Amino acid sequence: MSPRHRRQPLLCAACSTTVRRGKYRLCGNGCGARLHTDNRSPCLDAHAPVCPNHTPHPLAA
């Protein structure tokens, strides 16, 4: 019997820790980054400034 190959763990794009399958959210800007879905997690806010598809609001100073 051949050895099984383990899949690479899914990593959060903001904090680089593992994310369980089905327990992540993709970036709302469409870049495809996986982010934690926990409400207490700052990952959604931390990823926004470094997202390649992020466009700042035109009225923001």
Side-chain angles (χ1 to χ4, degrees):
M1 182 184 261
S2 63
R4 292 185 178 211
H5 296 284
R6 296 187 107 197
R7 291 183 186 176
Q8 293 290 344
L10 301 175
L11 299 177
C12 177
C15 64
S16 300
T17 59
T18 57
V19 178
R20 290 182 11 215
R21 292 194 193 281
K23 300 293 182 182
Y24 61 86
R25 176 181 296 166
L26 294 176
C27 177
N29 294 328
C31 73
R34 291 180 185 93
L35 303 166
H36 285 107
T37 58
D38 188 8
N39 292 335
R40 295 171 287 148
S41 175
C43 295
L44 292 173
D45 295 331
H47 175 69
V50 296
C51 179
N53 295 350
H54 176 71
T55 53
H57 193 276
L59 297 178

